Amino acid sequence: MSLPTILTTAVEVADFAVELAGHETIAVDLEADSMHNYQEKVCLLQFTTPQRTVLIDPLAIPDLDSLKSMFANPDQRKIFHAADYDIRSLGRDFEISVRGLFDTMISCQFLGEERFGLADVLKKYYGVELNKRFQRADWSLRPLSDDMIRYAAEDTSHLHDLARLLEDKLVEKGRLAWVKEECELLEQVRFSPQNGPLFLRFKGAGSLKPRQLAALEHMLVWRDDEARRRNTPHYKVLGNKPLLELARLLPEGRNQLEGIDGLPPRMAGRYGGTILQQIGAALELTEEQLPTYPRSVRKEVDPAVEGRFNALKKWRTKIAAELQLDPGVLINNALLEELALRNPRSFEDPAIAELLKRWQQQVLAKGIIATLQRT
């Protein structure tokens, strides 16, 4: 297989944008460096038209404005597989919005595929074995090897055929409109800014006492600063497991750092003094200065609501089996809980239109209302 073209200048990208705009359908993917740098970023864009595959190097051309109008055209189909992260990344790095999305992973889910990763689907339908060698590669490195370039190109080269096959199957099952609505909603996703203490996004922080929580926050702030300074992911400075253990133990001397899983002697020697400083600062805080983990007030369970929720779950299991779909794809628990709480008894109830997607109203509303009427 010959290597695809890689565009590295704004003029080349602008010319290619004109070419892309002339196609009814294009396949798109991207590669990022989330496992290798402090601030993750898009490092490569892959496009496959009906004629060829072309790669764009955004590290060489950070301004991709010439692609914006093409991506924003709702009348041109953009095929992605598992588009959520890609759409968020394009919006964050380039302020690119995607319209006309067709997500082949969502299509697989609504066809009841048990395995819907791209490698699994291509192997099932085409006998194609995707090379997973570079899944965790550092795509920010340059130059890219020939093998990495071939790997990147293969991710989009089969999507046109796959999309046609899946669309035919969706039409046969009467579910194409379901997927189109899901894709329209997915087009709106964006990365959300993260505010507040770092411990709010740390698994296990809710189990800590206030002073332990303060120590964890001090260490997380230090780790974030160190990761930024070194331009490396947080886990390459110090993993979450030893951080949580340090916060629980609150060691006050180097001898107490021994034996902590994930903190080998070499790392303890390098960071031990700094870690103890962060913990020491937390130990000196007054009780009034200590943070607390926010907890929602536990509401008393209304037996009637719980009964309706359980009835809806039982109904969902039955209808999901009939449709040969994963129950969570059909309707999630959070939505069932809200329906049980609001208890709509007719199609005219505002809860039906407010909570259910259009396809869910058509396919599920009758069963939901009937189930609630029986409780």
Side-chain angles (χ1 to χ4, degrees):
M1 171 176 139
S2 60
L3 292 178
T5 301
I6 303 181
L7 307 184
T8 57
T9 71
V11 172
E12 289 175 325
V13 172
D15 290 342
F16 184 55
V18 175
E19 177 186 335
L20 288 174
H23 294 288
E24 293 183 359
T25 302
I26 58 173
V28 189
D29 191 26
L30 61 81
E31 307 295 343
D33 61 351
S34 57
M35 304 263 318
H36 299 276
N37 293 292
Y38 174 78
Q39 178 60 58
E40 63 180 339
K41 59 187 176 297
V42 177
C43 299
L44 196 68
L45 287 164
Q46 302 103 281
F47 296 87
T48 296
T49 73
Q51 282 77 43
R52 63 176 182 147
T53 294
V54 174
L55 310 184
I56 293 177
D57 183 355
L59 302 187
I61 330 158
D63 182 354
L64 299 182
D65 285 357
S66 58
L67 296 173
K68 285 184 176 180
S69 61
M70 178 277 298
F71 270 116
N73 180 3
D75 297 322
Q76 181 193 49
R77 173 175 287 188
K78 290 88 181 177
I79 308 169
F80 286 76
H81 190 87
D84 187 295
Y85 176 80
D86 295 354
I87 288 176
R88 293 177 194 272
S89 298
L90 289 170
R92 177 197 62 209
D93 290 2
F94 313 113
E95 297 183 353
I96 285 176
S97 297
V98 177
R99 298 293 181 269
L101 171 67
F102 185 82
D103 191 317
T104 50
M105 188 186 79
I106 292 176
S107 300
C108 289
Q109 290 176 315
F110 277 88
L111 288 170
E113 296 286 354
E114 293 184 5
R115 300 172 71 90
F116 40 79
L118 183 58
D120 294 315
V121 177
L122 291 179
K123 183 177 181 180
K124 174 180 178 179
Y125 287 114
Y126 301 106
V128 172
E129 294 273 1
L130 284 187
N131 186 343
K132 298 183 180 181
R133 176 182 169 191
F134 296 107
Q135 275 188 328
R136 298 177 180 271
D138 186 353
W139 290 93
S140 67
L141 297 178
R142 294 295 183 271
L144 296 172
S145 70
D146 288 356
D147 286 343
M148 291 178 75
I149 293 170
R150 291 190 181 94
Y151 169 93
E154 195 170 19
D155 274 354
T156 54
S157 61
H158 304 286
L159 287 184
H160 286 271
D161 288 340
L162 179 62
R164 283 191 291 268
L165 181 148
L166 296 176
E167 185 172 21
D168 288 344
K169 288 179 173 291
L170 288 167
V171 169
E172 184 180 338
K173 287 183 173 288
R175 298 176 186 176
L176 182 59
W178 307 7
V179 170
K180 286 184 176 180
E181 183 177 1
E182 294 290 334
C183 288
E184 288 171 2
L185 294 171
L186 185 55
E187 290 172 352
Q188 311 303 319
V189 300
R190 297 292 182 272
F191 278 117
S192 300
Q194 297 179 337
N195 301 312
L198 297 180
F199 66 68
L200 293 176
R201 302 184 296 276
F202 189 93
K203 186 177 180 180
S207 66
L208 299 178
K209 298 175 181 178
R211 195 165 298 282
Q212 295 171 324
L213 201 59
L216 177 63
E217 180 67 15
H218 277 71
M219 289 188 289
L220 288 174
V221 171
W222 158 74
R223 184 178 72 166
D224 186 66
D225 290 341
E226 181 67 8
R228 183 187 294 107
R229 184 186 69 80
R230 290 170 49 189
N231 188 29
T232 194
H234 289 131
Y235 78 92
K236 289 191 176 181
V237 175
L238 187 60
N240 287 356
K241 187 175 181 180
L243 275 177
L244 187 61
E245 186 68 8
L246 287 163
R248 284 178 175 150
L249 296 176
L250 297 177
E252 298 184 53
R254 283 184 177 270
N255 62 317
Q256 296 176 15
L257 298 178
E258 297 176 6
I260 292 179
D261 191 17
L263 188 68
R266 176 186 56 80
M267 190 172 290
R270 180 177 184 181
Y271 292 131
T274 303
I275 290 171
L276 292 172
Q277 286 178 3
Q278 304 308 315
I279 294 173
L283 293 174
E284 292 182 3
L285 294 176
T286 66
E287 292 293 327
E288 292 75 20
Q289 293 174 311
L290 296 178
T292 56
Y293 196 86
R295 304 183 190 282
S296 56
V297 178
R298 186 177 180 85
K299 297 180 181 179
E300 290 189 18
V301 178
D302 184 332
V305 174
E306 186 174 20
R308 292 195 292 268
F309 174 63
N310 290 331
L312 286 172
K313 284 180 65 178
K314 185 176 180 180
W315 163 81
R316 180 185 63 177
T317 299
K318 177 177 178 294
I319 192 69
E322 292 174 0
L323 294 172
Q324 295 182 309
L325 288 176
D326 182 277
V329 170
L330 195 63
I331 185 168
N332 61 43
N333 281 348
L335 199 48
L336 290 184
E337 289 176 353
E338 189 65 22
L339 285 164
L341 180 65
R342 296 183 60 172
N343 195 22
R345 297 297 179 114
S346 71
F347 286 98
E348 290 71 33
D349 193 300
I352 295 297
E354 291 171 10
L355 297 177
L356 299 182
K357 300 165 186 173
R358 294 189 302 273
W359 72 265
Q360 289 175 323
Q361 293 177 41
Q362 296 169 4
V363 179
L364 305 178
K366 183 177 179 179
I368 289 169
I369 292 167
T371 301
L372 292 173
Q373 287 176 342
R374 291 194 294 268
T375 58

